[in-house]
Amino acid sequence: MQWTRRFVRTAPGVIGAVGAALALLALLGGLVTADQQSAKITRHDTVLAHTEPLANAAQRLYVALSTADAAASTAYLSGGIESPEVRIRYENALTDAAAALAEATTGAADAETRTILGRISAELPSYTGYVEAARANNRQGLPVGSAYLRQASALMQGSILKDAGELEHIRLAQLHSDQGAITGLPWWSAGTLVLLLAACGYGSWILVRRTNRWINPGVVTAGGLTVVALLWILATTAATTAAIDTGATARFEKLAQARILAQQARTEETLQLITRGDIDASEQRFTAGSDQLRADLAGLLSGDSAASKAFSGWQDGHQKELAAYKSNDYRGAVDQSIKTDGAGSAAQFTALDDALKTELERTRQEVRDDVNTAGNALTLSPLGTLVLLLAAAGSIVVGVWPRLKEFL
């Protein structure tokens, strides 16, 4: 031990210690950088295979449940045996909800999500039971059917959709988190490389004092390779951020909310006619939802888009429906509400929903394309930075060894 302490104070001891420390730090930097860049690629794969599909499933579940509720109300208004188109829309919505629920359940890893999905699964049969009871009574002309339908809608709006909304919030938050992990600066990597650069500078100063040579080519080369590795991870961070922060994810969320808002407004519109009473409070809710939807569409789509035109047609149809109702022309109001062709409210609402669905699907593909682009920018970074820093460690050894041999 005493000999070792004396040796490290000598010129060869100091030179060897500097070389070993710098080489080990370069190796550590290579391992840390490669590991963090590999973790980003893993997150990229997770987003495409798991997080984004589950977020989409949660959105689909919410929309399908809202669609089923709106379709059930429209079917009831038809009176007696509803039209095949309306019945098919209701059944398709339930099928979509079941498929989305199954997909969401498959990916439920945490207790909170499983609890939410469990509540939805338990309450959905009750909802469909109320709807079928309303349908059966409606076929017989019994007014009690409207009570069953209001009970079904209350269960959907007051409980099932709240759980679906919470699930959607959780899934979108996870998507944002994973996207943030892809675009975030790898601080451990950057910190280690900056430390290595500082160590190369300080080591060079020590070597100047011990060897009387102004430049050690190996250490200088190692510093240059470290700079290249640091610039590489900064460039990949900038590229992934530019790829993902295009606003596609935010637009996807807003479009989903717009579609849900439209379904809720449509349910409110049909329940007005089913209740057949004072509709002032209901009309205020419908107007508030429509105003919010109008503002959302103005921020998302152009005024001449299919969705915007269908929304205007739907609002015009609603005013006709409202005027007929207030003129005691109940049958005319119902006909305007359920008419599936021309300027009928049902026809215009269906056009609006289809247009929003098309925009959602297109925007979802943009989200996935953006994540793919980010993944392409990361492809070579783990291996590339590791090779650079291994080369830096080798350069340090090659540069320091000749100076060390001069004293041996």
Side-chain angles (χ1 to χ4, degrees), residues 181-195:
I182 295 172
T183 60
L185 179 67
W187 289 104
W188 280 106
S189 299
T192 304
L193 296 184
V194 170
L195 178 62

Side-chain angles (χ1 to χ4, degrees), residues 174-263:
Q174 184 61 54
L175 177 60
H176 283 298
S177 176
D178 284 350
Q179 287 179 326
I182 295 172
T183 60
L185 179 67
W187 289 104
W188 280 106
S189 299
T192 304
L193 296 184
V194 170
L195 178 62
L196 176 57
L197 279 174
C200 285
Y202 183 62
S204 296
W205 179 74
I206 294 175
L207 292 176
V208 167
R209 295 184 60 192
R210 293 292 180 168
T211 64
N212 292 321
R213 288 178 171 82
W214 283 104
I215 295 176
N216 186 289
V219 176
V220 171
T221 301
L225 292 171
T226 303
V227 169
V228 173
L230 181 59
L231 291 176
W232 193 336
I233 65 171
L234 292 176
T236 58
T237 299
T240 55
T241 300
I244 289 180
D245 288 353
T246 62
T249 302
R251 189 168 188 272
F252 177 82
E253 291 181 52
K254 291 177 181 177
L255 281 168
Q257 290 305 312
R259 193 178 179 202
I260 291 165
L261 195 60
Q263 296 288 352

Side-chain angles (χ1 to χ4, degrees), residues 50-251:
H50 184 76
T51 312
E52 187 280 330
L54 289 180
N56 184 60
Q59 175 270 141
R60 280 172 36 227
L61 175 62
Y62 199 131
V63 170
L65 291 171
S66 298
T67 302
D69 201 32
S73 299
T74 302
Y76 186 88
L77 277 179
S78 300
I81 300 176
E82 68 275 11
S83 67
E85 294 83 359
V86 174
R87 184 63 184 175
I88 289 173
R89 187 172 183 83
Y90 171 73
E91 292 177 345
N92 286 345
L94 287 181
T95 301
D96 291 343
L101 186 61
E103 186 176 348
T105 303
T106 301
D110 58 289
E112 182 182 12
T113 301
R114 289 197 297 270
T115 300
I116 292 172
L117 290 168
R119 287 200 299 264
I120 295 174
S121 298
E123 291 176 339
L124 195 54
S126 297
Y127 169 81
T128 57
Y130 288 137
V131 170
E132 291 307 313
R135 184 183 181 215
N137 282 278
N138 194 31
R139 283 186 170 186
Q140 299 175 57
L142 301 176
V144 72
S146 64
Y148 279 114
L149 192 64
R150 288 196 300 272
Q151 193 168 1
S153 189
L155 177 61
M156 177 64 76
Q157 301 291 334
S159 181
I160 299 176
L161 284 180
K162 285 184 178 180
D163 284 332
E166 187 177 352
L167 176 65
E168 183 183 26
H169 176 75
I170 292 171
R171 292 307 193 196
L172 287 172
Q174 184 61 54
L175 177 60
H176 283 298
S177 176
D178 284 350
Q179 287 179 326
I182 295 172
T183 60
L185 179 67
W187 289 104
W188 280 106
S189 299
T192 304
L193 296 184
V194 170
L195 178 62
L196 176 57
L197 279 174
C200 285
Y202 183 62
S204 296
W205 179 74
I206 294 175
L207 292 176
V208 167
R209 295 184 60 192
R210 293 292 180 168
T211 64
N212 292 321
R213 288 178 171 82
W214 283 104
I215 295 176
N216 186 289
V219 176
V220 171
T221 301
L225 292 171
T226 303
V227 169
V228 173
L230 181 59
L231 291 176
W232 193 336
I233 65 171
L234 292 176
T236 58
T237 299
T240 55
T241 300
I244 289 180
D245 288 353
T246 62
T249 302
R251 189 168 188 272

